[in-house]
Amino acid sequence: MNATLLVVRADGESQEIVIRQDRVIVGRDKSAQLRVPARSVSRQHCEFVSEDGRVVVRDLESSNGTFVNRERVHEAELSPGDLVSVGPAVFALRIDGVPSDLDPADVHARGSVELADDNAAQPSYPGGAAAAAAALAGGGAAEDSDLAMDALTDPSDDSSVLDFDFDLGDDEDEQPEL
């Protein structure tokens, strides 16, 4: 099974990431394999686990929750095209290239969950209901994206650690201690 994540942030920047490990931790901490340095993301927020031909997302008791297709979950088996929201980042799952065409703006509009306070979540519909209902269309990660890092884009790299910093503009020095 070839599993990848299309990571999209609010401004439409995106990056495709190949899941090369059986377990990938997403969080704000520098030790997270997929790092999202935002105040709304816990140090170890959630994990993607690949096992027995399936991909599961598991919340790691995060403060603000992990959402699959805008529903808060503790654990969920993912299907191709499912959208996972972690703070301001949205991840779209591809398995063996399916779905083949993902539009980053549409992925973010349909998967984003805007936090109303520390523990509650309200769905966000950027661009209105029509944008939220838009069907998946062509597009995808731009190859020249400034989010790309050599360890993620070089297919010859056998590194088992993803060192991805999804810079969302927050000053991590000001982040609260949890």
Side-chain angles (χ1 to χ4, degrees), residues 19 29 41 43 47 55 60 68 73 98 103 109 113 115 122 135 137 142 152-153 155 159 166-167:
I19 299 176
D29 194 74
V41 176
R43 287 185 183 138
E47 65 182 353
V55 177
L60 299 175
V68 175
V73 300
V98 176
D103 174 39
V113 176
L115 297 173
Q122 300 296 323
L152 300 175
T153 58
S159 172
F166 199 72
D167 184 8

Side-chain angles (χ1 to χ4, degrees), residues 28-43:
R28 184 181 45 149
D29 194 74
K30 291 183 190 278
S31 67
Q33 290 92 6
L34 210 59
R35 190 166 171 264
V36 182
R39 289 183 194 111
S40 59
V41 176
S42 296
R43 287 185 183 138

